[in-house]
Amino acid sequence: MDKATSGWISGLLGVIIFSGSLPATRVAVMDFDPIFLTVARAAIAGVLALLLLAIFREKRPQTSDLLSLIIVAFGVVVGFPLLTALALQHVSSAHSIVFIGMLPLATALFGVLRGGERPRAAFWVFSCLGSALVAGFALFQGVAASSTGDLLMLAAILVCGLGYAEGAALSRKLGGWQVISWALVLSLPLMMLLTAFTWPASFAAVKEPAWIGLAYVSLFSMLIGFVFWYRGLALGGIAAVGQLQLLQPFFGLTLAATLLGEQVNSLMVLVTVAVVACVAGAKKYAS
């Protein structure tokens, strides 16, 4: 198996894992405060990351890597989880998932700015077409919108795209799981402090689904997913593999339908097929 194919497979596994993030967050914020959820998930993942780094005796990053790790931590450890948790107080899981369709374009743009990639013009055509299909699907569905929720989701997409591109570029040097682990560890002291500060007076009202949601976003969304995702971006290219995120809304909507009882219709299947074609086109012209 060549490096690019391995990267695409790893990237797809990461996308599948990330697809459960917004439904799990939606369930969790029903009982947890969004600020507490954000810092608690980062603290839990940070402790696990610290253990992994200690077990495998990984070398500390160089001083020159710290700025990139701070950007990763800002984008994917704090920024995206917090902004989406806040947004999900105003919009449904299905509505928020559709915004993920804009993430490949944001990732590709930051891949050019921060990763030094230069995709061909045809790549941008397929990337924009795929994003337009996802956005058009959302509009056709007529999902009730909240300007506050939408603005929060747009901000989340921007900081996440930055974190993805920065982490992928650094993964070429440190390794995929090492990047997210060091970013989590770098954030750990502050996250532990904020977790203690925002600790609820009681967990008596917290139901089992919320605990499961917290466990999922802490273990899978914050750590395991990034092991595959950053490896995929580093091996297959930030702009190219990033287009797999176009499939994330449809994986996420399927999960939302299964877990939250939201409807999945035939239009979703047709748009998914069209989006897959856009991903294939983007892959062909990514370099």
Side-chain angles (χ1 to χ4, degrees), residues 112-125:
V112 170
L113 295 173
R114 301 293 301 178
E117 297 193 350
R118 294 293 182 270
R120 285 184 276 176
F123 165 85
W124 296 107
V125 173

Side-chain angles (χ1 to χ4, degrees), residues 22-285:
L22 290 179
T25 301
R26 174 65 172 170
V27 171
V29 295
M30 291 179 179
D31 293 332
F32 288 116
D33 175 80
I35 304 293
F36 173 77
L37 177 66
T38 299
V39 296
R41 66 188 275 183
I44 294 169
V47 171
L48 294 174
L50 184 61
L51 290 173
L52 281 175
L53 291 169
I55 290 170
F56 290 100
R57 298 181 180 180
E58 290 293 321
K59 293 182 180 180
R60 293 182 181 180
Q62 298 177 357
T63 304
S64 58
D65 299 326
L66 287 179
L67 177 59
S68 291
L69 286 172
I70 289 171
I71 292 173
V72 172
F74 169 75
V76 302
V77 176
V78 179
F80 184 77
L82 176 60
L83 290 168
T84 53
L86 292 171
L88 285 165
Q89 292 190 313
H90 301 278
V91 297
S92 70
S93 174
H95 185 77
S96 66
I97 285 169
V98 174
F99 278 83
I100 303 300
M102 302 178 197
L103 193 48
L105 196 55
T107 304
L109 288 171
F110 283 115
V112 170
L113 295 173
R114 301 293 301 178
E117 297 193 350
R118 294 293 182 270
R120 285 184 276 176
F123 165 85
W124 296 107
V125 173
F126 281 108
S127 181
C128 291
L129 180 58
S131 296
L133 280 168
V134 174
F137 171 77
L139 292 174
F140 187 84
Q141 292 293 92
V143 186
S146 160
S147 57
T148 300
D150 287 352
L151 288 173
L152 287 167
M153 283 303 303
L154 285 172
I157 294 306
L158 287 175
V159 299
C160 190
L162 173 60
Y164 279 173
E166 194 71 31
L170 189 58
S171 292
R172 296 166 183 162
K173 177 181 179 182
L174 299 183
W177 74 267
Q178 291 91 336
V179 167
I180 188 59
S181 294
W182 283 117
L184 286 164
V185 169
L186 188 64
S187 310
L188 185 57
L190 178 60
M191 295 299 103
M192 293 285 283
L193 181 63
L194 292 175
T195 299
F197 183 75
T198 58
W199 195 270
S202 171
F203 290 104
V206 180
K207 302 177 185 66
E208 183 179 352
W211 286 111
I212 295 173
L214 173 59
Y216 188 92
V217 297
S218 300
L219 183 58
F220 290 94
S221 303
M222 293 297 292
L223 187 58
I224 295 175
F226 279 103
V227 172
F228 294 104
W229 183 238
Y230 277 148
R231 181 177 184 274
L233 291 175
L235 292 177
I238 299 170
V241 175
Q243 298 309 297
L244 285 170
Q245 294 167 109
L246 287 170
L247 299 174
Q248 189 170 328
F250 304 101
F251 291 146
L253 285 172
T254 301
L255 288 172
T258 303
L259 300 175
L260 305 178
E262 297 176 5
Q263 184 179 2
V264 176
N265 53 42
S266 58
L267 178 62
M268 174 182 157
V269 178
L270 293 174
V271 175
T272 301
V273 172
V275 166
V276 170
C278 290
V279 171
K283 178 180 183 295
K284 182 178 180 180
Y285 295 104

